[in-house]
């Protein structure tokens, strides 16, 4: 450290102005350095202003994109709700078709066989009302169970519609 101190003292002795010409050189050099310093400060200030402007533009753009994304996610949620609604309706339809197929199988059994194992004549009335009447004679729980299922389906449907309306609000 002492070596640096002595070297600094020696350099100041060498740079000491020896006359008016040296003083003018030092002053002009100092003015040039001050001018460069002012220019650098101005450049730094303008860069800092540009940075702030760009930052504001980027932030505004991000806010707009965030709003777009929020709208997109809201739409996705609505689509998911709709898909779930359609899925539940498809499950209901599938259950109804399965029920109808079971009833058809039961009805076709009664059409083809009598209680004594012989084929029935096709001359009987096969209208839906008559078929239901025949089925209800043998197993009335099928009819009542079907009515209960229908009431339950209607109740679920009303609850789902209410949930969908609440979700939209």
């Amino acid at each position: 450290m002492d070596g640096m101190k002595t070297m600094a003292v020696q350099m100041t002795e060498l740079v000491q102005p020896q006359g008016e010409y040296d003083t003018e050189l030092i002053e002009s050099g100092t003015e040039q350095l001050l001018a460069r310093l002012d220019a650098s400060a101005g450049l730094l200030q303008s860069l800092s202003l540009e940075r702030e402007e760009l930052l504001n533009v980027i932030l505004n753009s991000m806010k707009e994109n965030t709003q777009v994304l929020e709208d997109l996610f809201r739409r996705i949620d609505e689509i998911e709700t709709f898909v779930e609604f359609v899925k539940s309706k498809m499950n209901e339809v599938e259950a109804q078709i399965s029920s109808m197929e079971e009833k058809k199988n039961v009805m076709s059994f009664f059409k083809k066989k009598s209680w004594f194992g012989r084929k029935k004549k096709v001359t009987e009335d096969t209208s839906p009302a008559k078929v239901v009447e025949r089925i209800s004679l043998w197993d009335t729980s099928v009819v009542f169970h079907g009515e209960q299922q229908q009431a339950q389906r209607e109740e679920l449907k009303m609850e789902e519609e209410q949930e969908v309306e609440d979700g939209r609000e």
Side-chain angles (χ1 to χ4, degrees):
M1 191 83 172
D2 289 327
M4 296 260 305
K5 190 175 185 180
T6 56
M7 187 182 267
V9 169
Q10 289 174 356
M11 289 296 279
T12 55
E13 288 175 3
L14 289 175
V15 178
Q16 292 281 335
Q18 300 288 329
E20 197 170 308
Y21 176 73
D22 287 341
T23 313
E24 287 177 15
L25 281 177
I26 291 175
E27 286 178 8
S28 70
T30 305
E31 287 178 16
Q32 288 176 359
L33 286 174
L34 288 175
R36 286 184 184 174
L37 187 61
D38 284 342
S40 297
L43 180 63
L44 183 62
Q45 187 177 11
S46 69
L47 288 175
S48 137
L49 289 175
E50 267 186 56
R51 181 182 152 265
E52 286 181 25
E53 289 175 5
L54 288 174
L55 187 62
N56 287 335
V57 168
I58 290 171
L59 287 176
N60 288 336
S61 175
M62 287 177 72
K63 285 178 184 178
E64 290 172 6
N65 288 340
T66 302
Q67 185 64 33
V68 168
L69 284 174
E70 286 176 358
D71 292 341
L72 180 66
F73 288 138
R74 182 183 48 77
R75 287 180 182 170
I76 289 171
D77 289 341
E78 289 173 356
I79 290 171
E80 285 176 346
T81 303
F82 178 73
V83 167
E84 287 297 319
F85 175 75
V86 169
K87 180 181 175 184
S88 69
K89 291 300 176 188
M90 290 303 295
N91 289 338
E92 285 180 22
V93 168
E94 184 179 345
Q96 290 175 352
I97 289 173
S98 296
S99 173
M100 293 168 101
E101 286 176 347
E102 289 174 11
K103 288 179 184 179
K104 179 183 174 200
N105 290 337
V106 169
M107 286 189 277
S108 66
F109 173 77
F110 284 121
K111 281 184 183 177
K112 293 179 183 175
K113 301 279 183 177
S114 72
W115 286 105
F116 302 106
R118 295 178 302 203
K119 288 187 176 180
K120 281 190 171 183
K121 295 180 183 178
V122 186
T123 58
E124 293 182 19
D125 185 11
T126 59
S127 67
K130 276 292 189 186
V131 172
V132 170
E133 182 181 326
R134 282 190 213 122
I135 291 173
S136 66
L137 290 175
W138 307 119
D139 188 9
T140 56
S141 67
V142 171
V143 175
F144 291 121
H145 185 66
E147 290 174 355
Q148 282 179 329
Q149 284 181 338
Q150 182 65 26
Q152 288 173 348
R153 278 190 227 113
E154 290 175 3
E155 184 177 313
L156 286 172
K157 181 179 178 181
M158 289 174 36
E159 289 176 1
E160 289 173 354
E161 290 174 351
Q162 183 64 34
E163 289 175 2
V164 169
E165 289 177 7
D166 291 344
R168 288 183 186 161
E169 295 175 359

